[in-house]
Amino acid sequence: MSRAERRAYKRLTKNQDPYSLPPAAQRGRGTRPRRERRPGESGDFQFVTGRFLALAVGGAAMAGLLALSMTWPDMPFSLYVGLAVAAAWLLLAWVARLAQRRAAQRPRHAPR
């Protein structure tokens, strides 16, 4: 750095605290290299998996029991409400899985 550049730099940083931390926006930059994204799994989409079944059936059972317990004293009605809520949960899980399958079939944009 030449003498003129050093003087210009001192003039720019004259009223700044030399021991202050950089702003929060600049702290994280440059300290860590960015991780590369893993390529997506390009296998065929499986509609029924163990994880999906566990979420659908387990969630339906929990939602059905919760609805049954909330309407408990009136027994036949409670049972119908619990079964209806469990069926609604299964239907929502199935619709969400259809949306996932549709999104998996859509072509993605080229990476930047």
Side-chain angles (χ1 to χ4, degrees):
M1 182 182 283
S2 69
R3 185 179 293 170
E5 289 172 336
R6 199 175 316 120
R7 285 182 185 154
Y9 181 74
K10 283 200 179 255
R11 228 180 359 258
L12 282 172
T13 60
K14 181 169 52 174
N15 293 326
Q16 294 180 0
D17 182 13
Y19 301 109
S20 68
L21 294 173
Q26 293 177 354
R27 267 185 229 147
R29 294 184 189 167
T31 58
R32 293 179 285 150
R34 289 187 74 167
R35 290 191 320 172
E36 303 244 349
R37 284 188 166 190
R38 289 188 321 182
E41 308 258 335
S42 60
D44 291 333
F45 181 82
Q46 294 179 349
F47 192 82
V48 178
T49 60
R51 184 176 175 181
F52 169 69
L53 282 176
L55 178 76
V57 174
M62 296 308 278
L65 283 174
L66 182 67
L68 179 95
S69 68
M70 289 175 67
T71 59
W72 173 248
D74 190 17
M75 184 45 205
F77 179 71
S78 312
L79 183 63
Y80 300 145
V81 168
L83 290 174
V85 168
W89 181 277
L90 287 173
L91 181 68
L92 285 175
W94 182 72
V95 168
R97 196 65 172 171
L98 283 176
Q100 283 180 344
R101 182 175 68 181
R102 187 171 177 165
Q105 291 173 350
R106 227 180 264 159
R108 295 186 177 168
H109 297 293
R112 293 182 182 184

